[in-house]
Amino acid sequence: ENLPTQLRSAKKPLELLAKLSIDTRMPIKELSLLFVRDLPGLSKIIVGCETKDQLIDNLTLIEKPPLKEETIREIYTLFSNIPIEIIDPRMWN
């Protein structure tokens, strides 16, 4: 709701992600982390945290089973054409 001007183009993808979260009954954080964790060719993930509770939460999420294939396909379908200006934080200025 309060996107900075330079990220207004992210509104629709964020709405789609929120809907997918509801449809799958998974928090956005869980969907995102599990999707990235299981990308082919990925061997490590660096996830920041500010508190011990966040660290514990991240470690708990990383141990969850893989996403369902249908969820993975849906993510690829919904987000395959996201502009680089939304994906790359270096371009958010």
Side-chain angles (χ1 to χ4, degrees), residues 16 33 49:
L16 292 171
L33 185 59
C49 60

Side-chain angles (χ1 to χ4, degrees), residues 4-5 8 12 16 19-20 24 31-32 36 38-40 61-62 67 69 84 91:
T5 304
R8 292 240 167 94
K12 182 67 174 172
L16 292 171
K19 183 179 181 321
L20 182 62
T24 59
L31 273 171
S32 303
V36 171
D38 296 335
L39 285 171
L61 287 175
I62 209 78
L67 294 174
E69 279 299 317
I84 191 71
M91 302 179 92

Side-chain angles (χ1 to χ4, degrees), residues 21-45:
S21 172
I22 292 166
D23 291 348
T24 59
R25 297 186 190 116
M26 296 175 107
I28 290 172
K29 179 169 65 171
E30 183 175 342
L31 273 171
S32 303
L33 185 59
L34 296 181
F35 178 77
V36 171
R37 179 199 64 191
D38 296 335
L39 285 171
L42 198 67
S43 61
K44 293 182 178 43
I45 299 175

Side-chain angles (χ1 to χ4, degrees), residues 20 23-24 69-79:
L20 182 62
D23 291 348
T24 59
E69 279 299 317
E70 66 190 53
T71 303
I72 293 169
R73 282 194 301 276
E74 183 74 8
I75 291 170
Y76 276 116
T77 300
L78 291 173
F79 305 108

